[in-house]
Amino acid sequence: MIHLFQLGSRNLMRNRVRTGITLGAIVFGVCGLILSGGFVRDIFYQLAEALIHSQSGHAQIARPEIFGKGSRTPEKYLLENPEAIRSVVRADPAVRDVMARISFSGLLNNGKTDYAVIVEGLEPEREQVLGTHLRIVSGRTIEAKDQFGAMLGEGVAAALGLKPGDRATLVASTLDGATNTLDVEIVGVFQSFSKDFDARAIRIGLGSAQELLLTQGVSKVVVSLANTADTDAFVERMQAQFGAKLQVQGWQELNDFYRKTVDLYQQQFGFLQAMVMLMVCLSVINTLNMSLMERSWEFGTMRALGDRNAKVVALILLESIILGGFGSTLGVLLGALFAQIIAGVGIPMPPPPNADMGYDAYIRIVPEVVLQSWMIGVLATVLAGVYPAYRSARQPIINALRSRA
């Protein structure tokens, strides 16, 4: 085997230009897969963090109806004892913080017209820690001292012509069906990842929301974890603990847009991987065919001296493995180098669909993507050598020896 490896290495060096061109194709393909794969994974990461830290949190706990038929009237399916749930959740080691929210529909009046809104009553201080991706367009966030303060989504503020310092009236139905009003002062205008959310959302303090609805309950308990990767395990633990009475959903279930985006990009990246594999295969097949045509007499001599066809096939495939392994390794090193360079600069990106905020993209070095890219480079090279190797081994010895002339 060592002898074959040495022989294969020397054979590759016979025509350095041809070998170099093939290596270039392999390196380019593997490097491109690492960079594109790292770019796609960065999109997944930044999109996930934006959704978690501007809207959903890592997980939410509520009555099952909230996530189904009760999503349009969440005020009818309140948790009457949220503190008991909070104490159980806080005991989990993965949890950073737990906060309560109450959501309902209402009308916001600026003195001239009514505008349908989705109201979120929340705990300001805790939400400030969670909402790191919530951008304040003007004014400031709600604070605990703002008993009647309100933050408007950018779309709501634009539709009603409201700005920080203005006053408005919030109208909603209580749990008994009566109409209640709350005079609020606009303290800030925010922008989240979702343009649709900003066009309808208004945020007020939890106490103000409960006063408006005449209740002490909350719609859901929102959980912030120390590590996003712990979400699935946390959801399983909590669901087992609460049983069928409550439902626990992770951020991926809560954000359908994220799942559809991931599916789309994964299909596109899979197509790119297939194209790179085809490109490498064609390049290597071209190189091997030219090389094997020139070396037909060599293989004929080996077989005439008693070497079996299997040895000829093994030699050709070993050359392919050496070529693919070296080229793929070099592609991984260059891909990692370029990723580090790009990570220090960033790639300015326009706002994604349904968003107004652009962001800086980076290339993430993901071990899974690196390994897949390396294996694709090697596998494509080896597959490209199978047919030429088989054809060389099956050529009649006399014809192979005549090719010398």
Side-chain angles (χ1 to χ4, degrees):
M1 187 66 183
I2 296 177
H3 172 70
L4 280 180
F5 182 83
Q6 294 173 342
L7 183 59
S9 300
R10 288 199 299 267
N11 288 335
L12 289 173
M13 297 304 294
R14 286 182 178 182
N15 193 320
R16 299 186 179 186
V17 174
R18 187 182 299 154
T19 301
I21 293 174
T22 307
L23 276 176
I26 298 171
V27 170
F28 178 80
V30 172
C31 183
L33 284 177
I34 290 175
L35 294 178
S36 59
F39 177 77
V40 169
R41 291 304 179 93
D42 181 72
I43 291 176
F44 293 168
Y45 173 81
Q46 294 211 44
L47 175 59
E49 293 301 308
L51 291 171
I52 290 169
H53 293 285
S54 66
Q55 293 183 31
S56 67
H58 289 96
Q60 294 183 4
I61 304 171
R63 292 174 60 180
E65 294 84 358
I66 289 288
F67 302 113
K69 64 180 181 180
S71 59
R72 293 187 177 274
T73 55
E75 65 274 11
K76 295 182 179 180
Y77 303 96
L78 300 181
L79 301 171
E80 299 299 335
N81 191 10
E83 290 304 318
I85 300 173
R86 196 197 300 258
S87 62
V88 172
V89 175
R90 273 181 177 164
D92 192 285
V95 174
R96 176 189 291 171
D97 200 2
V98 187
M99 56 215 78
R101 288 182 187 173
I102 185 169
S103 302
F104 57 95
S105 301
L107 295 174
L108 188 65
N109 185 287
N110 63 353
K112 299 179 181 179
T113 185
D114 291 328
Y115 188 81
V117 293
I118 299 172
V119 186
E120 283 194 336
L122 44 82
E123 299 173 295
E125 294 180 353
R126 289 192 166 95
E127 292 285 348
Q128 286 179 21
V129 177
L130 174 66
T132 54
H133 282 66
L134 196 71
R135 177 185 172 191
I136 304 301
V137 178
S138 60
R140 57 177 175 81
T141 60
I142 304 175
E143 299 176 357
K145 63 181 181 180
D146 298 319
Q147 185 177 2
F148 300 109
M151 289 177 63
L152 306 183
E154 189 177 35
V156 177
L160 293 177
L162 296 172
K163 61 184 184 300
D166 292 344
R167 303 191 70 85
T169 302
L170 182 60
V171 183
S173 297
T174 67
L175 300 186
D176 296 329
T179 300
N180 200 4
T181 62
L182 181 70
D183 291 329
V184 296
E185 179 183 357
I186 313 303
V187 299
V189 177
F190 68 84
Q191 186 182 69
S192 69
F193 177 80
S194 172
K195 187 175 181 179
D196 290 341
F197 179 77
D198 298 342
R200 291 294 175 188
I202 169 176
R203 290 184 162 184
I204 62 178
L206 179 61
S208 299
Q210 290 173 330
E211 180 180 337
L212 181 61
L213 297 180
L214 302 179
T215 182
Q216 293 298 313
V218 301
S219 301
K220 60 186 70 172
V221 171
V222 179
V223 183
S224 173
L225 302 179
N227 191 342
T228 302
D230 296 332
T231 303
D232 291 341
F234 169 80
V235 169
E236 289 182 8
R237 290 195 300 269
M238 290 297 103
Q239 192 63 71
Q241 192 157 359
F242 289 121
K245 296 183 297 182
L246 298 175
Q247 186 170 349
V248 186
Q249 285 197 356
W251 60 272
Q252 292 194 49
E253 295 177 279
L254 295 166
N255 297 290
D256 186 60
F257 174 76
Y258 175 83
R259 291 186 293 176
K260 292 179 179 177
T261 301
V262 169
D263 290 341
L264 173 64
Y265 276 97
Q266 283 181 338
Q267 290 183 6
Q268 292 177 343
F269 185 58
F271 179 78
L272 176 62
Q273 288 178 319
M275 290 300 99
V276 169
M277 193 168 183
L278 179 61
M279 179 195 72
V280 173
C281 278
L282 292 176
S283 177
V284 175
I285 287 175
N286 179 62
T287 300
L288 284 177
N289 279 332
M290 295 179 65
S291 175
L292 296 182
M293 286 178 62
E294 297 173 356
R295 296 166 57 196
S296 292
W297 64 270
E298 174 188 334
F299 301 131
T301 301
M302 289 175 61
R303 293 163 62 200
L305 292 175
D307 287 327
R308 295 181 178 275
N309 292 348
K311 185 174 181 179
V312 175
V313 173
L315 176 61
I316 297 173
L317 291 181
L318 185 59
E319 292 176 15
S320 298
I321 293 173
I322 295 171
L323 192 64
F326 183 77
S328 297
T329 302
L330 186 58
V332 167
L333 295 176
L334 287 178
L337 176 62
F338 290 147
Q340 291 297 322
I341 294 174
I342 296 173
V345 179
I347 307 172
M349 297 293 293
N354 193 37
D356 289 324
M357 292 187 291
Y359 66 100
D360 289 332
Y362 301 92
I363 307 296
R364 294 185 176 272
I365 302 298
V366 183
E368 178 186 351
V369 173
V370 172
L371 180 60
Q372 285 181 353
S373 302
W374 187 88
M375 291 181 65
I376 285 174
V378 175
L379 183 61
T381 310
V382 174
L383 289 176
V386 172
Y387 178 70
Y390 173 79
R391 190 182 62 182
S392 297
R394 298 294 295 178
Q395 185 180 18
I397 294 177
I398 188 64
N399 292 342
L401 293 174
R402 283 175 180 172
S403 65
R404 177 69 171 179

